[in-house]
Amino acid sequence: MKFTNEYVSTVSVLLCIVLAEAYIGNPLITSVLVLIGGALCIYSKYKSKQVIENLEAEAKSVKDGMSEASHVISNLGKAGERNFEILDKDTELCRAILNVDTDMKMFNEAEHKRNWGIEGLAKFSELLRSHEKNIRELSEDIITNLVRYVSANQGGLFVHQKEDEDEYLKLTACYAYDKVRIRDKRIEIGQGQIGQCYLEKETVCLLDVPQGYVSITSGLGEATPENVILVPLKLNEKIYGVIELASFEIFSDYKIKFLEQLAENIASVFASMRNNEKTSHLLEEAQVLTTELQSREEEMRQNVEQLSATQDEMQRKQSELDGIVGAINNAMGVVELNTEGEIIYSNGIISNVLGYSEEEMKSLSYEDLIGYNDGDGVLLKKIQNVQLEASHYKAKSRTGQSKWLTISFSPIKDYMGGTRKILALTRDITARKLQEIEFEKLSLVADNTNNAVIISDKNGCIEYVNKGFTEMTGYSEKEVYGKKPGDFLQGEDTNKETVKRVREALARKESVYEEILNYTKSGESYWISMAINPVFNDEGQLQRYISIQADITETKMRAVDYSSKLEAISKSNAIVEFDLEGNILEVNDNFLEIFGYERNELVGQHHSLLVSEKERGSSGYIDFWKDLRKGEVFNDEFLRIKKDGDHVWLKGIYNPIFDYTGRPYKVIKFVTDITHQKILKFEKRKQEVELENQMEAINKTIASAEFDLEGYLKRSNEIFDGITGIELTATSKIHYSDIIPPNELLKPQTELMWNNLKEGKFFSGEFKLKDPKGKELWLVGTFNPINDIDGNPYKVMMYAQFTTQEKEKQKELNGVVGAMKNTTPIIELHPDGTYKNGNNLFMDFFGYNRIELRRKPFADFLSDHSPKVIRDVLTELKKKPFVEVELEYVNSDGETKVFKSTFSSIFDLEEKLSKIVVIMIERVVVSKPNHHERF
């Protein structure tokens, strides 16, 4: 049988068709068979006739291997090893089958990777959509599922944080070996691979991981991973964090792509969460602001309601302030300076201290008060801005005397906060300062003398001893503190009469000059020359004793000349020696210091140099020296003249000194300077006279009354009696409760006031009394406790001015103002013509709330809204106190009315325009009656 080419081709195709129908359920095998059939057709065309003849034999072979080929074809594209040995790999069919297998594997692998990525994104999208957690909890869920899904070994999620100007990456979740790890880690921007990944905004894949960069720990030990990948959480070029994953296997490209897509989804969720947080925060702030606005509106309403009460309170406080200023002006030196430091006002106290008239004080400046040149004005700059506490300054009086002042400077501010002037309050502390200087000198002497110095309190108990005392007696200061010197220094051989004289003199608070035998700590006796001087305060009260003791043991034992004893005593007294004619023989340093002379200026001069010219020529002065020459002793106070012409008062003794025959041959004078005590007595008397004059002036100008601490009236002046109608007699007994209205008596303040007065507390203000007919009397004044010498109150003085008429006028005026406010619209304007305040009638007509009216221009209330009206009014108000004009107004509803408007200027205490009051009286249009109209 012969086969043609067409026959062979036909048979081949038919065979392929038959086989294809057999495997029609498998499209892949069908396709391969069709391909084989086509190949056979082609093959049949080009084979030689001899080969075609063998087709029949080969067909059988093909048929036999077809079943085996069908098994191979059915496993094409599947994973794992396949049995291709049955195929002849050199044939086209085998190569075609192998190629198809390769393509099928690639297709299946790509399909698997695509499905893996889609499923992963869907899984994490569901996780991100369903979250109701904060960023930390969400981060833990993300990193836990992500490490598992990509088959990594460990991972971490770093979230961008910003606090003020500080930006960094914070580890919010960490997961490894199926456990969430708790870590607190902070990565700075730009620090390490994670910080660089944040800056570069690109995925970083580390294949060559440095040793120690990250290690994975398990039960078998630690190991460095093969691959670390860093993926930024990027959305619209903004980075919200970084994911870090580590694995022992290399991350495939499709996993990296999946991580980048997932990172963008996570960044979107983080962005949304942060926006939600910001929105929530803004809503909370808005609620707070709304609440605060409502509170401020309520506070503003309350402030407006309290404004009237505040103005009344300010008037009352102004009255109190006037009283306080008056009290300060009467008790302290008051000086007012301009901002250049020049004196513009001073009261009599400071002018008297410095010896200038009040008009002459205006030519001085603050430098004259502080006593030195301020140079660059350092002190002036301070007192222009801040209040300085009281400090001590050494000024010069008009006569050149040193005056110590304590001065406090206070800047007085204007309403803009600028310094308008400077107030200086002064006190004269010259006497106290001189005492301090004197005490410092005594302390210096005590520290540098070998004599014993003892300072004791007014009871004689030791407060201080110097080094000379401890060396002289052997006692330390600690051993004698709080003890009386006589208790441990005197012994059995101490003269009892001397001790008695010392005690009697001290009891009389007099100075003591004695020689006495004392004993040291070891029991050795020694003689001392002792001078004890009492020290008094400004009120003449004894404060302490100062005793100076000189060791005169050797002098006593050798019976040396009396001059040795005189030298010891001269260290604490002023001493001068005269001959019997009155010529000065010798003076000590204390005497020279008191009179201001040098030694050579006095020695050889007559005593008359030290007395006034009037005394010098008197018969008493001549008799004085006659009696001294007779040996008489003079112990008194003496007025003498210093070198500079000032007077000095001395207290002491002129003691004639006798020779061995009992005849006087010279006179020694022991004195102490008591000028300060004399001045104090003079000043005290001067103050008493001034106080008496002030009290007389007070009694002529204001009402005064004296009560005892129980409230009974003891004394009153004519003004008080005339106004109250009270007639106080020796037998009358009028209590404070008898002269106040019953309703005031029931108030607890009345009893509280008297209880506080008994405790010495001062009261000032406005009080209400009644006359015998029951009429109310108003007065403004003070109730002042008066203390005795021990500081305890023993009576109460009332000083007041009756203000009944002013009170009635004020009440009447308040009634008129209240009636006006209730009958006509009233508006208050700022000096620039904008709205400041208005009454209820004004608010009702115009229909605005107070917030809308704040600083509203006056022109907005007019129907034509012309600003020229208020400008013309302000111009006219500069010429006259008020302006009247008819104006047409429009309210918020568009309704218009014509009001006769009266503009009045209101000025403050500095005569500056503070506001403009507008009283609006509606113009009533009266139409003419129609005589033809019938009713």
Side-chain angles (χ1 to χ4, degrees):
M1 183 179 180
K2 295 183 179 179
F3 298 95
T4 63
N5 291 340
E6 290 79 9
Y7 176 80
V8 173
S9 298
T10 301
V11 172
S12 299
V13 171
L14 289 175
L15 178 60
C16 290
I17 292 172
V18 171
L19 292 174
E21 288 179 350
Y23 293 96
I24 195 168
N26 193 325
L28 181 59
I29 296 177
T30 303
S31 301
V32 172
L33 292 175
V34 172
L35 180 62
I36 295 173
L40 290 175
C41 292
I42 297 172
Y43 176 77
S44 63
K45 291 182 181 180
Y46 296 98
K47 282 295 180 177
S48 63
K49 182 178 180 181
Q50 294 81 6
V51 174
I52 292 174
E53 291 176 353
N54 296 328
L55 181 60
E56 184 176 354
E58 292 179 359
K60 184 178 184 300
S61 176
V62 170
K63 182 179 179 181
D64 295 337
M66 189 60 66
S67 61
E68 295 178 359
S70 64
H71 176 71
V72 173
I73 291 172
S74 64
N75 290 301
L76 289 177
K78 294 184 179 180
E81 295 184 359
R82 303 299 174 203
N83 187 14
F84 292 148
E85 290 77 3
I86 59 176
L87 297 179
D88 186 0
K89 296 182 175 54
D90 293 331
T91 64
E92 289 293 335
L93 177 60
C94 181
R95 285 194 291 271
I97 292 174
L98 291 176
N99 289 335
V100 170
D101 180 66
T102 300
D103 292 339
M104 290 292 292
K105 287 182 178 180
M106 292 177 61
F107 174 81
N108 288 340
E109 184 178 359
E111 186 70 13
H112 169 73
K113 293 178 180 178
R114 182 167 59 253
N115 292 337
W116 181 87
I118 292 172
E119 290 176 1
L121 291 176
K123 175 182 178 180
F124 282 96
S125 295
E126 182 65 24
L127 174 66
L128 295 175
R129 274 198 309 273
S130 61
H131 79 86
E132 293 181 357
K133 308 170 184 176
N134 56 35
I135 289 181
R136 175 175 287 278
E137 293 178 352
L138 179 60
S139 300
E140 291 178 358
D141 288 347
I142 291 173
I143 200 65
T144 300
N145 287 277
L146 185 59
V147 170
R148 294 173 177 173
Y149 194 75
V150 299
S151 300
N153 295 94
Q154 67 181 33
L157 180 58
F158 295 83
V159 178
H160 174 259
Q161 303 287 334
K162 183 174 182 181
E163 299 176 0
D164 297 330
E165 300 298 325
D166 186 19
E167 291 188 61
Y168 60 94
L169 294 171
K170 181 179 180 181
L171 178 63
T172 57
C174 180
Y175 183 83
Y177 284 102
D178 294 332
K179 289 187 179 179
V180 175
R181 308 294 181 177
I182 299 176
R183 298 287 188 268
D184 188 8
K185 189 173 183 180
R186 168 182 171 138
I187 302 294
E188 302 297 332
I189 302 301
Q191 177 185 358
Q193 293 291 341
I194 296 175
Q196 286 296 321
C197 177
Y198 175 86
L199 290 178
E200 295 174 1
K201 304 179 181 180
E202 296 293 340
T203 300
V204 176
C205 187
L206 300 177
L207 298 178
D208 186 11
V209 180
Q211 189 70 27
Y213 175 80
V214 63
S215 61
I216 298 176
T217 304
S218 69
L220 301 178
E222 294 185 357
T224 301
E226 291 294 328
N227 192 189
V228 174
I229 186 167
L230 306 174
V231 183
L233 305 180
K234 182 169 64 174
L235 179 66
N236 298 328
E237 296 302 319
K238 184 174 181 180
I239 307 300
Y240 291 88
V242 175
I243 295 175
E244 181 186 43
L245 297 174
S247 176
F248 287 124
E249 297 180 358
I250 304 300
F251 288 101
S252 302
D253 291 341
Y254 74 94
K255 289 188 177 181
I256 296 175
K257 183 177 180 181
F258 164 75
L259 289 173
E260 290 176 340
Q261 292 176 343
L262 178 60
E264 184 175 354
N265 294 345
I266 296 173
S268 175
V269 172
F270 281 3
S272 176
M273 293 179 70
R274 290 193 174 176
N275 289 335
N276 291 339
E277 289 178 357
K278 290 182 180 178
T279 303
S280 177
H281 182 67
L282 291 175
L283 288 174
E284 290 177 0
E285 288 185 348
Q287 291 176 352
V288 171
L289 290 175
T290 301
T291 304
E292 184 178 353
L293 179 60
Q294 293 173 349
S295 176
R296 290 185 177 178
E297 288 179 352
E298 177 63 19
E299 182 180 355
M300 183 181 300
R301 184 186 65 79
Q302 294 177 359
N303 289 339
V304 171
E305 292 176 354
Q306 293 176 357
L307 181 59
S308 178
T310 302
Q311 291 174 344
D312 294 340
E313 181 68 13
M314 288 177 62
Q315 292 177 354
R316 185 185 67 79
K317 288 186 177 180
Q318 182 61 42
S319 299
E320 292 181 4
L321 183 60
D322 292 341
I324 293 172
V325 171
I328 291 174
N329 207 35
N330 291 327
M332 303 179 67
V334 179
V335 179
E336 293 182 6
L337 309 168
N338 60 20
T339 54
E340 302 299 323
E342 300 167 342
I343 296 177
I344 57 178
Y345 166 78
S346 62
N347 67 353
I349 294 178
I350 184 62
S351 61
N352 290 336
V353 170
L354 297 180
Y356 294 95
S357 67
E358 293 185 17
E359 189 62 31
E360 290 173 333
M361 287 288 292
K362 295 182 179 179
S363 63
L364 305 180
S365 72
Y366 75 103
E367 291 181 333
D368 296 294
L369 296 178
I370 63 177
Y372 64 87
N373 187 352
D374 194 19
D376 295 333
V378 176
L379 179 62
L380 180 60
K381 292 176 182 177
K382 287 184 179 179
I383 63 179
Q384 286 174 342
N385 298 295
V386 297
Q387 180 175 348
L388 296 184
E389 295 182 357
S391 300
H392 296 173
Y393 301 94
K394 187 178 181 182
K396 291 289 185 181
S397 68
R398 186 174 186 179
T399 59
Q401 290 181 307
S402 295
K403 293 290 183 180
W404 285 93
L405 304 175
T406 176
I407 309 176
S408 63
F409 294 96
S410 301
I412 306 300
K413 305 289 186 177
D414 56 23
Y415 71 97
M416 295 294 290
T419 299
R420 180 165 55 90
K421 60 183 178 180
I422 301 167
L423 178 66
L425 300 180
T426 69
R427 285 186 183 274
D428 182 11
I429 58 169
T430 304
R432 189 181 75 189
K433 199 68 178 180
L434 292 176
Q435 282 186 341
E436 292 175 358
I437 294 173
E438 182 179 356
F439 187 76
E440 289 175 0
K441 292 180 180 178
L442 290 174
S443 299
L444 182 63
V445 172
D447 292 338
N448 293 279
T449 183
N450 292 327
N451 291 338
V453 177
I454 304 173
I455 300 177
S456 59
D457 60 19
K458 62 182 180 180
N459 297 317
C461 297
I462 294 175
E463 294 179 336
Y464 165 81
V465 293
N466 71 339
K467 182 181 178 182
F469 174 88
T470 59
E471 292 178 351
M472 182 182 295
T473 65
Y475 290 99
S476 66
E477 182 178 1
K478 184 177 181 180
E479 290 176 308
V480 301
Y481 184 81
K483 298 180 180 180
K484 294 185 177 182
D487 293 345
F488 60 90
L489 293 178
Q490 297 167 8
E492 56 182 1
D493 292 331
T494 303
N495 187 279
K496 301 297 186 291
E497 291 297 325
T498 304
V499 174
K500 182 180 178 181
R501 286 196 306 271
V502 171
R503 290 178 178 175
E504 290 175 350
L506 293 178
R508 295 191 300 270
K509 301 178 182 179
E510 296 177 352
S511 299
V512 176
Y513 306 96
E514 288 289 351
E515 296 177 0
I516 195 169
L517 181 66
N518 281 347
Y519 290 85
T520 66
K521 182 179 180 180
S522 61
E524 298 178 2
S525 62
Y526 64 97
W527 279 91
I528 61 167
S529 174
M530 175 176 62
I532 304 176
N533 293 301
V535 179
F536 302 92
N537 59 18
D538 294 342
E539 288 75 27
Q541 297 173 335
L542 178 65
Q543 282 190 315
R544 59 179 55 87
Y545 293 98
I546 298 178
S547 174
I548 300 178
Q549 301 175 357
D551 187 350
I552 59 170
T553 305
E554 294 183 6
T555 304
K556 276 285 185 180
M557 292 174 63
R558 293 193 301 265
V560 295
D561 189 83
Y562 182 75
S563 61
S564 299
K565 295 182 288 184
L566 183 63
E567 180 180 358
I569 299 173
S570 69
K571 292 183 179 180
S572 59
N573 294 271
I575 302 176
V576 58
E577 296 183 13
F578 304 95
D579 62 16
L580 294 181
E581 300 301 321
N583 298 312
I584 299 174
L585 300 175
E586 186 58 67
V587 295
N588 71 348
D589 292 338
N590 292 338
F591 191 89
L592 293 173
E593 184 177 354
I594 291 175
F595 284 88
Y597 286 100
E598 298 293 334
R599 188 179 304 277
N600 58 1
E601 293 177 317
L602 280 183
V603 175
Q605 298 292 328
H606 193 270
H607 175 267
S608 59
L609 176 67
L610 306 177
V611 300
S612 65
E613 184 176 353
K614 180 180 179 181
E615 182 179 357
R616 193 181 307 155
S618 67
S619 58
Y621 183 69
I622 297 174
D623 294 338
F624 170 74
W625 280 104
K626 286 182 180 179
D627 294 336
L628 285 175
R629 285 193 287 270
K630 294 177 183 178
E632 294 186 16
V633 177
F634 285 89
N635 189 353
D636 204 351
E637 296 179 355
F638 309 96
L639 179 63
R640 296 294 181 252
I641 307 299
K642 297 166 63 174
K643 180 180 179 180
D644 58 8
D646 287 346
H647 291 174
V648 58
W649 280 94
L650 303 175
K651 181 179 181 180
I653 184 172
Y654 285 83
N655 191 22
I657 305 299
F658 300 90
D659 60 16
Y660 66 95
T661 63
R663 295 178 182 178
Y665 71 96
K666 65 179 179 179
V667 177
I668 296 182
K669 179 183 179 182
F670 301 89
V671 292
T672 56
D673 185 358
I674 61 169
T675 306
H676 180 60
Q677 289 89 328
K678 281 288 186 180
I679 292 175
L680 290 178
K681 290 180 181 179
F682 173 76
E683 290 293 333
K684 183 178 179 181
R685 179 54 188 161
K686 180 180 176 182
Q687 291 176 1
E688 290 175 353
V689 173
E690 288 181 356
L691 182 59
E692 291 172 359
N693 293 334
Q694 291 175 3
M695 294 303 299
E696 183 179 356
I698 289 173
N699 283 326
K700 291 180 180 180
T701 55
I702 64 176
S704 66
E706 177 184 326
F707 299 86
D708 63 17
L709 291 183
E710 300 304 321
Y712 288 99
L713 181 64
K714 296 299 183 183
R715 191 179 295 106
S716 59
N717 66 355
E718 294 180 358
I719 297 176
F720 182 86
D721 295 342
I723 294 176
T724 61
I726 294 175
E727 296 181 1
L728 186 64
T729 64
T731 59
S732 60
K733 199 171 184 180
I734 301 175
H735 193 267
Y736 178 73
S737 60
D738 298 331
I739 60 175
I740 65 174
N743 58 338
E744 292 293 322
L745 185 61
L746 296 176
K747 293 181 179 179
Q749 295 92 319
T750 302
E751 182 179 356
L752 178 63
M753 182 184 78
W754 278 101
N755 290 336
N756 288 335
L757 287 172
K758 290 178 181 180
E759 296 177 1
K761 297 181 180 179
F762 165 88
F763 267 87
S764 67
E766 189 175 49
F767 304 91
K768 187 161 59 174
L769 302 181
K770 69 174 182 177
D771 62 11
K773 297 180 180 180
K775 179 182 178 182
E776 289 187 352
L777 302 174
W778 287 90
L779 65 155
V780 175
T782 62
F783 283 79
N784 307 275
I786 307 300
N787 299 332
D788 57 20
I789 59 175
D790 296 324
N792 300 317
Y794 70 96
K795 65 179 180 179
V796 176
M797 291 298 300
M798 184 201 77
Y799 300 100
Q801 289 182 330
F802 283 89
T803 59
T804 305
Q805 294 181 351
E806 289 79 358
K807 196 72 175 180
E808 291 174 349
K809 290 180 180 179
Q810 183 179 2
K811 186 175 181 181
E812 181 180 349
L813 179 60
N814 290 338
V816 172
V817 172
M820 184 175 293
K821 285 184 177 180
N822 293 327
T823 56
T824 183
I826 298 176
I827 179 176
E828 295 180 5
L829 304 177
H830 289 285
D832 61 358
T834 58
Y835 174 86
K836 183 177 184 180
N837 199 3
N839 66 352
N840 291 332
L841 293 177
F842 177 84
M843 304 290 291
D844 292 342
F845 170 70
F846 282 94
Y848 295 103
N849 60 44
R850 297 190 182 276
I851 300 299
E852 295 173 327
L853 287 172
R854 184 185 300 166
R855 285 285 182 180
K856 192 175 185 67
F858 180 75
D860 290 356
F861 301 122
L862 303 178
S863 60
D864 58 358
H865 301 292
S866 173
K868 182 176 181 300
V869 173
I870 191 62
R871 289 200 299 266
D872 294 343
V873 168
L874 291 174
T875 302
E876 289 297 318
L877 285 176
K878 294 179 181 179
K879 304 174 184 178
K880 49 189 178 182
F882 66 91
V883 175
E884 292 184 347
V885 62
E886 284 192 356
L887 298 172
E888 185 177 65
Y889 295 85
V890 60
N891 62 16
S892 60
D893 296 331
E895 179 186 356
T896 61
K897 284 187 181 181
V898 176
F899 289 91
K900 180 180 179 182
S901 305
T902 302
F903 295 80
S904 300
S905 303
I906 306 298
F907 298 92
D908 58 18
L909 296 178
E910 298 180 357
E911 295 301 322
K912 292 182 179 179
L913 181 63
S914 64
K915 62 183 178 181
I916 301 167
V917 176
V918 185
I919 300 175
M920 303 161 56
I921 301 175
E922 184 177 0
R923 189 185 69 181
V924 179
V925 180
V926 181
S927 61
K928 294 183 180 180
N930 187 351
H931 296 290
H932 300 287
E933 184 178 356
R934 301 182 66 179
F935 296 89

